[in-house]
Amino acid sequence: MTTELLAPLDLAFWHLESPEHPMHLGALAVFEAVPGARTGVDDAALLDLLATRAAAVPRLRMLVRDVLLPVGGAAWSVDEDFDVRRHVRLVELPPGDFADEASRLAGELMERPLERGIPPWEMYVLAGGAPTEGEAPGGRPFAVLVKLHHALADGMRAVAIGAGIFDQIADARAAGTRRARPAPPRSWLPGPWQVADMARNRLGELGRALGIGASVVRASRLDLRGTPALMAGSSGTRRLATAVLPLEDVRQVRKAHGGTVNDVLLATVAGALRRWMLERGEELPDRDPRSDPRALVPVSGRRPSRVRQSTGAGGGSGSGNMLSAYLLGLPVSEPDPLSRLTAVRRSMDRNKKDGPSRGAGAVAVLAGQLHPLAHRLGAPIAGSAARILFDVLVTSVPLPRATLSFGGCPLREIYPMAPLARGQSLAVGLTTYGGQVHVGLVADGKAVPDLGGLAKNMNEELNELLRTTAPTGPASVTVPGERDMSAVPAVPAVSAGADLVG
């Protein structure tokens, strides 16, 4: 892979980072250990396989270097001293419930910023330790924690890169069915024939940036009181909680009341937040949509076909964050679940009609119009401005449409983890796999010690919505709740990513 300049939005994420606010994405993938699989029950074999798979992904060999031109810019270049063992590690979990210990450790590992000067990523094998009394050898699950800097990839691109560790992608790559093609180098100094075109393009971009900037300003808030549950001075700590929602239940609600799967999930988040705030004894916003907390809902600019191609290549070329976002008021002040769903659906319909270049969500588009020096100098100010735009990030991450495994061990659950914006205490990640919606909640560890309560309320809120679809009495719903990941049922091969984005 050749040297290439960081795209403007990549550069923004690179400079927004601070020790208290690391800007990496994460995913916790839980696998069922299968005796007789290619890795057997050997933790060292799992680590060796992870190292081999990660080293084969071209993008994971790239690091960030400063450049002279453009002023303030940076470029991706190959790490000539790349050593995959600096990036992959084995961690033995202490005895106890695997789900609890894996979530606790994942939260702690997400606190740590990625090392600069080397490719900005890490992966961990979280081994379940020795079998407990009466448990068959090799029967305990294990997990893989992936951390990728947001400058390296947006959510869909992170899937394309991270999927390179799975058997189905790695085996296809090894067989030569798909090969990554190097991207042509980007010239840092344009030729004379390009100058006139660049000038015309910059004038057009300037006009577009002014329009987007005006839209962002109009959507900004002067009242920064916000929702106490979602605001916090950073402690630098992180906590992870998870929930699992039956995808068929989500689809049943969508079929009964309209909208998309994503609308139902966003309404579930709003209802869960309402329940959680009441349990905490917090005052709900007035019955005024303008006082409800705001969610920033990222929208990828990538075509699914392009993502599938890069997934097959193991995360080859074609880098750069391609994001915008929608702004959504989460109707926590509304007591009726159906009214909340209706409000979410209408707001998202308006967002889609207007397009992602309007409202506070367009800040990502605006970032793509700025000079690199503006990102380098303005990052501290921009990082502190998140609170005037939104209160919580809610992101949906699609997965490949296949049953996945690692070393012959089936993937059972996968929880996406998003970074926290400065001054905020919660981020919500959603993904579908195996007929389930997996919810990853990342919070400031000191500001939100009761994050498990919010995870529980995700299930309860979906139950409440599901009851509205039953004409004669409540529906019967299985609530995973606090679960032992060592007893996860088999996963059928189902469609994943397209279902989530609705």
Side-chain angles (χ1 to χ4, degrees):
M1 183 176 290
T2 54
T3 299
E4 56 181 290
L5 290 173
L6 267 73
L9 193 52
D10 302 349
L11 198 61
F13 286 128
W14 188 249
H15 290 307
L16 279 172
E17 186 169 62
S18 69
E20 296 78 21
H21 292 88
M23 290 302 298
H24 50 253
L25 309 170
L28 180 65
V30 181
F31 298 88
E32 178 186 355
V34 178
R38 71 183 75 177
T39 53
V41 293
D42 186 352
D43 295 340
L46 292 173
L47 185 66
D48 289 342
L49 181 61
L50 182 63
T52 300
R53 297 271 173 87
V57 178
R59 194 72 196 159
L60 296 182
R61 293 174 173 266
M62 306 295 284
L63 53 76
V64 176
R65 299 186 190 277
D66 290 338
V67 296
L68 294 176
L69 294 173
V71 176
W76 292 108
S77 59
V78 175
D79 183 1
E80 301 296 342
D81 300 317
F82 178 75
D83 180 0
V84 72
R85 293 290 174 172
R86 297 184 66 179
H87 301 267
V88 298
R89 299 173 178 85
L90 172 66
V91 181
E92 293 281 353
L93 297 178
D97 181 81
F98 178 82
D100 290 344
E101 293 298 332
S103 295
R104 177 192 59 78
L105 183 59
E108 292 179 2
L109 293 172
M110 287 296 287
E111 296 174 4
R112 307 175 187 176
L114 293 164
E115 182 180 348
R116 297 201 171 200
I118 62 174
W121 64 273
E122 293 173 351
M123 296 185 189
Y124 296 83
V125 174
L126 308 184
T132 58
E133 184 177 352
E135 187 176 43
R140 301 206 77 190
F142 66 91
V144 173
L145 174 66
V146 178
K147 293 170 58 178
L148 300 173
H149 200 285
H150 212 327
L152 186 67
D154 54 30
M156 291 185 72
R157 186 63 182 168
V159 171
I161 294 173
I165 73 170
F166 293 118
D167 298 336
Q168 291 72 15
I169 307 303
D171 291 348
R173 185 175 62 239
T177 57
R178 290 173 177 157
R179 298 182 183 275
R181 296 182 179 180
R186 299 183 186 180
S187 174
W188 298 355
L189 292 173
W193 60 89
Q194 296 175 296
V195 173
D197 285 342
M198 289 179 63
R200 285 193 294 268
N201 289 339
R202 289 304 296 172
L203 287 173
E205 291 172 0
L206 178 60
R208 184 173 181 234
L210 290 173
I212 295 171
S215 181
V216 171
V217 170
R218 286 194 299 269
S220 301
R221 299 172 296 186
L222 297 178
D223 184 354
L224 298 182
R225 289 175 296 177
T227 304
L230 304 177
M231 297 167 51
S234 177
S235 68
T237 62
R238 295 293 181 269
R239 186 182 300 272
L240 170 67
T242 63
V244 179
L245 309 176
L247 181 58
E248 187 55 39
D249 292 352
V250 177
R251 288 174 171 166
Q252 184 173 334
V253 175
R254 180 202 61 79
K255 184 177 180 181
H257 301 300
T260 66
V261 165
N262 220 34
D263 292 341
V264 176
L265 291 174
L266 289 167
T268 301
V269 170
L273 283 171
R274 175 185 170 86
R275 292 168 179 267
W276 181 58
M277 291 166 64
L278 289 172
E279 290 175 354
R280 295 176 120 222
E282 295 198 13
E283 184 177 353
L284 293 174
D286 297 331
R287 292 289 296 273
D288 181 349
R290 292 174 297 181
S291 63
D292 281 325
R294 287 176 165 184
L296 195 68
V297 183
V299 178
S300 177
R302 300 184 186 277
R303 295 181 180 179
S305 59
R306 295 289 297 275
V307 175
R308 286 194 294 271
Q309 291 168 8
S310 60
T311 299
S317 61
S319 64
N321 279 268
M322 299 175 65
L323 288 174
S324 185
Y326 293 134
L327 183 68
L328 173 69
L330 294 172
V332 301
S333 59
E334 172 56 60
D336 178 62
L338 276 185
S339 296
R340 287 196 293 270
L341 176 57
T342 299
V344 166
R345 187 176 69 246
R346 289 175 176 171
S347 293
M348 290 302 290
D349 286 346
R350 284 195 300 270
N351 278 330
K352 294 170 187 176
K353 180 180 178 181
D354 292 341
S357 295
R358 297 186 61 182
V363 68
V365 180
L366 181 61
Q369 309 296 316
L370 299 180
H371 189 277
L373 188 60
H375 289 299
R376 186 178 292 268
L377 299 178
I381 299 173
S384 300
R387 279 180 53 192
I388 71 174
L389 300 175
F390 65 98
D391 300 292
V392 60
L393 177 72
V394 183
T395 182
S396 299
V397 183
L399 286 181
R401 300 182 181 186
T403 298
L404 302 172
S405 61
F406 177 71
C409 299
L411 175 67
R412 291 306 184 215
E413 301 178 4
I414 182 164
Y415 301 100
M417 290 176 279
L420 294 182
R422 190 167 302 174
Q424 297 178 356
S425 61
L426 177 68
V428 181
L430 305 161
T431 195
T432 54
Y433 178 74
Q436 298 173 322
V437 180
H438 298 97
V439 184
L441 304 172
V442 176
D444 184 281
K446 292 186 178 179
V448 189
D450 57 339
L451 188 61
L454 179 57
K456 171 181 65 70
N457 284 320
M458 289 289 295
N459 289 289
E460 293 183 358
E461 181 62 20
L462 180 58
N463 280 350
E464 188 68 25
L465 283 168
L466 191 60
R467 291 187 187 99
T468 66
T469 69
T472 56
S476 174
V477 185
T478 300
V479 179
E482 295 295 330
R483 303 160 61 252
D484 181 355
M485 290 186 180
S486 64
V488 178
V491 176
V494 301
S495 169
D499 294 325
L500 183 60
V501 296

